[in-house]
Amino acid sequence: MRHIKRFLKALLAAALGLACFATALACFNWGFLSMRDARQIDRLPPTPIAALAQGPYAVHGEVLAGNQVLTAPYSGEKAVFLRYRLEEEYRDSDNNIRTRTLDSGERRAPFLLKDTSGEVRINPSDQSSMQTSLSRTYRVKRGDRIYSEWIIRPGQSINILGAYDPETKWIHFDTRNWQIPAILSVGTLQAEGGKSLLQSGVLVSIASGLIAFGIALLLIALQIHRFWIYVLFMICGGMGFLWYTGLTNLKKDWSEAAILYQERYKATYPTPMPEQRSDLYAMRLLIERGAQKWPDRPLFNHVAERQFPLPYGLTETEIQQAKKLTDSIRPSSFQSPLMVSLLSAGGLVLGLMAFLAGILSIKQKRLMEHIPTASSSGLSYGLAELKGKILVGEELPCMQSRLKGKDCVAYHYKVEEKRKSGNKTKWVTIEEDIRRTPFWLEDEEGKIRVLPKDAIIEYSGRSKESKGGRIYTEWLLEPGLAIYTIGFAGLDPEKSDRLSLQKGTDRHNFFFISPRREEDILRSKGAKGFLATSFSLAAFLFAASVLWAGLGWFTPSALFQTALIIPLFLLLYTLILHFNDIIFLRNRCHKAWSDIHTILQRRFDLWPQLEKIAKTYLAHEKELLTALSSLRTEASLPPGETEKAEEIVQKERAVCNSFHARMESYPQLKAQSLVQEITHEIIRTENYLSLLRKGYADSVEIFNTRIQSFPDFFLAKMFRIKPIKTFSQQREKTLGEQDVLYKKT
């Protein structure tokens, strides 16, 4: 059953991944169409009406009324083009004010457009996909109704992008044959191009994000959770797809630019008027200006003479006129810096949040991979990973769940109630209870006490009941269940000579309990990390693309630069992961050493009291008194000085053994309560030291091995991270023998 579920999940992930790729391809094509519209707009200079020939043109002029004049329905103004809307305000069931449209429409009439060189008739009635950009000219609220109008009046200046027909001498808006947008705007055409650029940036960044998600989902379907494989696929697959799609669409874009230029060149050949030559050369300058960066530049240079020939008979005066005109034209850019800033900032914030979530998930996964599974009998102080079964008994009894009364060591109980708000209903949690109790984790070599407070628990079972309009749910962790756990093996609060698995005092410690197999957990953590990383990458690409589009910099060259974000982002991501690993392991060593230092300091505080007692009862034992005095005046332990620590511990043990031997000869000394307290504290701290020393040695070994392996070796060199000293094997052996001697005495 488990294999069937895993197969179905993999199949679903693969299907979603393929769907992401298909949607990404559609978004790419749509985005490049929008980019093409903006680039085509930037390639067309405003043409004098007298210079019009066959084909598409950008024209600017003053509106003159034709034979037919429209009357606006609400304001009564005269117009040649109008759009109107009647809205009504009302309150919904939640008493919120909303608006609905009662009536709307658009009317248009043929009109004339005039500039300093002449007039031309405009026919807006035959438009197929004309874009209109109008300012609202009228808005009045009467009662709960709102009347709005957008009109073009006679005498108003407008910009038009349409096609001129020399036979009818009309400009119409069917421009599909030339792959350019048809536009009627009271603003600049470059403002409309800016909207297309922003739309292109959004679509291309969404497509890039979908590619990242598709790669992550396919790796999840293949049950691959290694991060380096994800990085390799993202760099090769994601970046390769972006570059291939970009180059393909770029070639198509330059092919359409050539068709646009040649159409105008042929329409004026062989005897163009001076205005037409200047206009054609201005168009060529604008095309060349859009090809300043790689990869546009080599493509333009390759086809310039053949596809973009200079106008026949061009004079120096016409060249200067064209240059003056093109210098006054700004490239397309989005006209709302605030919106661009908000969108970019939103992308950065979402990207950072997903970045941190991905780092956390991958970090936890790498931690599970790098921490070896320990046995209960061979457990060392510090972070540890164990596998076994939950065991309860008289010493550590289980508890009963609230809903079903089942035996468990942890449960999560929740009561939800359906509540209505207006026309909406939602489930609200009215009670929630989380309980945990300590239990034994039993493996083949013994058992260890687990303190599940503050642990992240994946429960094994769920029960659910519905009654009285409420849903009762509980999740359980039951005795006898095989579990995986990783946490801090610290000193047991109840017994000083053993360790227990717990959260520990450091809030950054990772404490996790799950009934799933380690392999399944690693796949799950890897999947979450891949998806979070993909979302983070998509959000950063979105922020960069929107910003470049808003500034008018979103060109094919910017797209290729955007593609470079992928390897740079993943390289930074990988470096952060490895650096965090090194710092975590180093801090783990420092924490273990700090605990050793704390225990030694606690023992150091005992020597003045022990010396005082020895002077009272053992005044003739000069050697013992000298040794106690030496311990009392011992300097504090410097950080990381393992040899000094070994020397101090040896001296302490020698003195303790000597003092303990003398106690047997002096019953009155042995009977002293203070002596008994000190002896008990020495034994307790000795047990602590034995556990801490082993944990420190293991932590140092893992850290030193890690910074000598690739690629952490380079990071360690870069940040001057040096190996940490550990206890020498010979002295460790000597200390171990003294432990035995002391316990036998």
Side-chain angles (χ1 to χ4, degrees), residues 117-141:
S117 67
E119 298 178 357
V120 65
R121 291 186 294 175
I122 309 296
N123 183 17
S125 60
D126 64 345
Q127 103 291 352
S128 54
S129 56
M130 180 177 68
Q131 302 174 20
T132 56
S133 178
L134 309 177
S135 300
R136 180 154 49 184
T137 57
Y138 182 81
R139 186 181 187 277
V140 172
K141 184 177 180 182

Side-chain angles (χ1 to χ4, degrees), residues 495-509:
K495 287 190 177 182
S496 61
D497 60 345
R498 73 182 184 190
L499 298 172
S500 62
L501 207 61
Q502 55 192 277
K503 172 72 172 178
T505 56
D506 189 348
R507 63 186 181 88
H508 297 294
N509 283 342

Side-chain angles (χ1 to χ4, degrees), residues 373-393:
T373 303
S375 64
S376 57
S377 60
L379 198 61
S380 298
Y381 180 87
L383 196 65
E385 174 185 285
L386 292 102
K387 299 173 185 176
K389 290 185 177 182
I390 296 174
L391 182 67
V392 295

Side-chain angles (χ1 to χ4, degrees), residues 252-269:
K252 185 178 179 181
D253 173 65
W254 277 106
S255 174
E256 292 169 352
I259 292 172
L260 188 67
Y261 183 84
Q262 290 171 17
E263 177 80 18
R264 186 168 299 189
Y265 184 87
K266 291 175 181 177
T268 59
Y269 185 82

Side-chain angles (χ1 to χ4, degrees), residues 69-90:
V69 179
L70 305 173
T71 301
Y74 306 138
S75 64
E77 287 192 72
K78 301 299 180 181
V80 296
F81 189 100
L82 67 89
R83 183 181 298 143
Y84 61 91
R85 185 169 66 220
L86 172 60
E87 299 169 296
E88 181 183 47
E89 290 184 344
Y90 70 98

Side-chain angles (χ1 to χ4, degrees), residues 137-153:
T137 57
Y138 182 81
R139 186 181 187 277
V140 172
K141 184 177 180 182
R142 297 191 186 103
D144 57 357
R145 297 197 171 187
I146 301 171
Y147 302 84
S148 300
E149 289 176 349
W150 296 260
I151 66 173
I152 296 177
R153 311 178 186 90

Side-chain angles (χ1 to χ4, degrees), residues 561-594:
Q561 293 166 14
T562 303
L564 293 176
I565 291 177
I566 295 176
L568 294 175
F569 171 83
L570 292 174
L571 176 62
L572 176 64
Y573 201 99
T574 304
L575 290 176
I576 290 175
L577 280 174
H578 281 269
F579 184 73
N580 279 346
D581 287 348
I582 293 174
I583 297 303
F584 170 79
L585 293 174
R586 187 178 67 175
N587 290 342
R588 184 183 173 196
C589 296
H590 290 170
K591 175 65 170 62
W593 179 258
S594 175

